[in-house]
């Protein structure tokens, strides 16, 4: 399975050239500010800000849409439930269902914040290699053990996906079909085999790492050099985040 998250990290755009620690700090502060928003008047602001920054990043729109496809299932599930169960104000009756104003407004709030935050996160991790992002986290104070866990989780999700795809292909060539009797047992055996193979592989990798000096934080050391423009960009995002939070507090 190809690692798709940082497939456009090679682009030579201003956002890609931004010093990783400043970029990570600025965008994460802005994401937290987006999550704090409750006032509906701020929703167009955060949506325009996230969309404008994504256009500025130079990443293709198809990349964003492909990353949003799976999380959009969450929004679909929320849209099927929330407007009919939240709030006392009835807008209309749809057969046995009652559409409520508070639920619709809450759905709008969740959808806009969800899209804005996810767009910013995709832009952040899509504009630099994932290893560079982990090193930037380490440079901002993330403990070594958490940096290791983050890197290994990202790496071996794809390894497990490759193993699963290979084993499913092998089972299909041997005549396996999901609709056959006993298919559930075969799928359970497949899942168990994947877990056992993953454990055995992790044990081999860990022993190999120990022999190569694992445990030294030097593996995450990198000479990051923040330029004045990098710091200025970070401060600009922090000021934007502070303005959003201040407006939320004032209007609330």
């Amino acid at each position: 399975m190809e690692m798709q998250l940082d497939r456009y990290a090679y682009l030579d755009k201003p956002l890609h050239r931004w010093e990783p620690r400043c970029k990570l700090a600025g965008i994460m502060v802005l994401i937290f500010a987006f999550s704090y928003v409750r006032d509906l008047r701020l929703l167009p602001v955060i949506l325009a800000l996230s969309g404008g920054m994504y256009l500025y990043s130079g990443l293709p729109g198809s990349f964003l849409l492909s990353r949003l496809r799976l999380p959009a299932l969450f929004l679909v599930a929320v849209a099927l439930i929330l407007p009919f169960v939240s709030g006392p104000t009835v807008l209309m009756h749809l057969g046995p269902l009652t559409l409520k104003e508070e639920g619709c407004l809450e759905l709008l709030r969740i959808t806009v914040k969800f899209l804005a935050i996810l767009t910013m996160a995709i832009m952040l991790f899509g504009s630099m290699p994932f290893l560079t992002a982990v090193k930037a986290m380490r440079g901002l104070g993330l403990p070594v053990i958490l940096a290791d866990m983050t890197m290994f989780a990202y790496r071996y999700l794809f390894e497990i996906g490759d193993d699963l795809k290979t084993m499913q292909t092998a089972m299909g060539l041997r005549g396996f079909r999901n609709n056959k009797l006993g298919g559930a047992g075969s799928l359970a055996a497949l899942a168990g085999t994947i877990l056992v193979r993953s454990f055995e592989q992790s044990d081999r990798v860990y022993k190999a790492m120990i022999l190569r000096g694992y445990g030294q934080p030097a593996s995450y050391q990198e000479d990051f050099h923040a330029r004045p423009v990098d710091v200025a960009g970070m401060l600009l995002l922090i000021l934007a985040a502070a303005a959003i939070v201040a407006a939320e507090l004032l209007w609330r």
Side-chain angles (χ1 to χ4, degrees), residues 24-61:
L24 183 64
I27 292 179
M28 289 304 298
V29 169
L30 197 58
I31 286 176
F32 281 116
F34 286 177
S35 68
Y36 188 70
V37 169
R38 296 286 300 170
D39 195 291
L40 296 176
R41 290 171 290 183
L42 285 174
L43 296 183
V45 175
I46 66 174
L47 193 60
L49 186 57
S50 61
M53 288 194 63
Y54 191 85
L55 291 176
Y56 176 75
S57 71
L59 295 170

Side-chain angles (χ1 to χ4, degrees), residues 166-192:
T166 300
M167 295 178 69
Q168 285 178 329
T169 301
M171 291 173 65
L173 293 174
R174 289 170 173 80
F176 171 75
R177 297 293 183 272
N178 286 338
N179 57 356
K180 284 188 175 181
L181 186 63
S186 299
L187 291 175
L190 173 62

Side-chain angles (χ1 to χ4, degrees), residues 33 48 62 65 79 81 91 96 109 122 130 133 136 180 195-196 199 207 209-211 224 248:
S62 58
L65 294 177
I81 299 174
L91 289 179
R109 185 182 296 112
I122 291 171
F130 192 77
K180 284 188 175 181
L195 290 175
V196 171
F199 175 78
K207 291 178 180 177
M209 291 170 60
I210 290 295
L211 292 175
F224 292 122
E248 172 67 24

Side-chain angles (χ1 to χ4, degrees), residues 1-227:
M1 185 182 297
E2 184 183 357
M3 293 188 184
Q4 298 287 331
L5 184 59
D6 51 5
R7 62 183 299 184
Y8 293 105
Y10 64 87
L11 296 178
D12 187 22
K13 301 291 183 179
L15 187 69
H16 293 68
R17 296 191 296 268
W18 197 0
E19 199 269 338
R21 293 173 302 173
C22 295
K23 176 165 57 176
L24 183 64
I27 292 179
M28 289 304 298
V29 169
L30 197 58
I31 286 176
F32 281 116
F34 286 177
S35 68
Y36 188 70
V37 169
R38 296 286 300 170
D39 195 291
L40 296 176
R41 290 171 290 183
L42 285 174
L43 296 183
V45 175
I46 66 174
L47 193 60
L49 186 57
S50 61
M53 288 194 63
Y54 191 85
L55 291 176
Y56 176 75
S57 71
L59 295 170
S62 58
F63 177 70
L64 175 63
L65 294 177
S66 64
R67 303 277 79 76
L68 290 175
R69 189 179 307 152
L70 188 59
L73 297 177
F74 165 77
L75 289 180
V76 173
V78 173
L80 293 176
I81 299 174
L82 189 60
F84 304 102
V85 299
S86 178
T89 307
V90 176
L91 289 179
M92 66 177 67
H93 294 281
L94 301 174
L97 301 177
T98 302
L99 189 65
K100 300 180 179 180
E101 179 182 355
E102 292 81 2
C104 293
L105 294 178
E106 190 63 28
L107 175 62
L108 175 64
R109 185 182 296 112
I110 291 174
T111 300
V112 172
K113 290 170 62 176
F114 182 87
L115 292 176
I117 290 173
L118 202 56
T119 298
M120 296 294 290
I122 291 171
M123 180 187 65
L124 171 63
F125 292 104
S127 60
M128 58 181 167
F130 192 77
L131 180 58
T132 302
V134 174
K135 290 180 177 179
M137 296 178 197
R138 181 74 187 101
L140 292 174
L142 184 72
V144 175
I145 185 65
L146 292 181
D148 288 343
M149 292 173 63
T150 302
M151 194 64 200
F152 291 149
Y154 176 75
R155 175 68 176 86
Y156 284 100
L157 278 176
F158 294 95
E159 288 292 329
I160 293 173
D162 284 335
D163 290 343
L164 178 61
K165 184 176 180 180
T166 300
M167 295 178 69
Q168 285 178 329
T169 301
M171 291 173 65
L173 293 174
R174 289 170 173 80
F176 171 75
R177 297 293 183 272
N178 286 338
N179 57 356
K180 284 188 175 181
L181 186 63
S186 299
L187 291 175
L190 173 62
T193 302
I194 289 292
L195 290 175
V196 171
R197 291 183 61 176
S198 300
F199 175 78
E200 293 174 346
Q201 183 179 17
S202 64
D203 186 57
R204 292 194 300 269
V205 170
Y206 177 73
K207 291 178 180 177
M209 291 170 60
I210 290 295
L211 292 175
R212 289 165 174 80
Y214 170 73
Q216 302 299 322
S219 58
Y220 289 108
Q221 290 180 355
E222 185 161 319
D223 293 329
F224 292 122
H225 299 287
R227 301 165 298 172

